[in-house]
Amino acid sequence: MEWSLDTFITQVTERARYDRPQQGARAVRNVLEVLGAHLVGDDRTDLAALLPEGCGPLLTAAEPAGEPLSPASFVRAVADHGNEDVAEARREIDAVLPTLADAADHALLRRLLTQLPPGHAGLFGCTDPG
């Protein structure tokens, strides 16, 4: 699926039940910047290529993380990155990652999930690859 930036942000804004698109844009930025540090190689660039202009660099510009994060640690990392509480970070993640899952085909999503520790699939709104 090809998304415009407005459509992508609108989808995130609606999923998070935000009042303003600026809140959706902030969520996209926070989540993609943290996620980008935990993905590497062609899978990261393939996902970035599917995203609207301006979103891909949020994934690819991140320096690789020193260690993988559990799902709970990922939520805390998004909270720290956005200078917000864990509940708001979870709201952002619950809006952004399922929207990314909609943009990616099944094979790419599976490859992305195999790069992340077990349990991340739930953050994307799907099941762990088997």
Side-chain angles (χ1 to χ4, degrees):
M1 168 183 288
E2 215 171 291
W3 302 73
S4 71
L5 183 58
D6 287 341
T7 301
F8 189 75
I9 290 173
T10 297
Q11 182 72 28
V12 169
T13 301
E14 289 173 359
R15 276 193 161 133
R17 297 193 169 148
Y18 288 133
D19 297 326
R20 297 183 329 271
Q22 294 85 350
Q23 294 168 293
R26 183 195 69 231
V28 168
R29 183 180 59 253
N30 289 341
V31 174
L32 291 184
E33 287 176 351
V34 174
L35 179 64
H38 296 279
L39 299 175
V40 296
D42 291 341
D43 298 334
R44 180 168 84 160
T45 55
D46 289 350
L47 178 60
L50 294 175
L51 298 177
E53 187 174 336
C55 290
L58 297 172
L59 276 175
T60 58
E63 289 293 320
E67 61 185 49
L69 295 176
S70 69
S73 295
F74 182 82
V75 173
R76 284 191 299 277
V78 171
D80 291 345
H81 184 74
N83 197 29
E84 57 202 16
D85 63 31
V86 171
E88 182 57 28
R90 184 61 198 238
R91 183 179 184 186
E92 290 180 352
I93 291 164
D94 288 346
V96 175
L97 293 185
T99 303
L100 287 180
D102 289 347
D105 64 33
H106 180 72
L108 175 58
L109 184 58
R110 183 181 174 101
R111 291 193 317 268
L112 295 171
L113 291 172
T114 59
Q115 287 193 38
L116 301 168
H120 277 77
L123 299 177
F124 284 84
C126 57
T127 58
D128 278 313

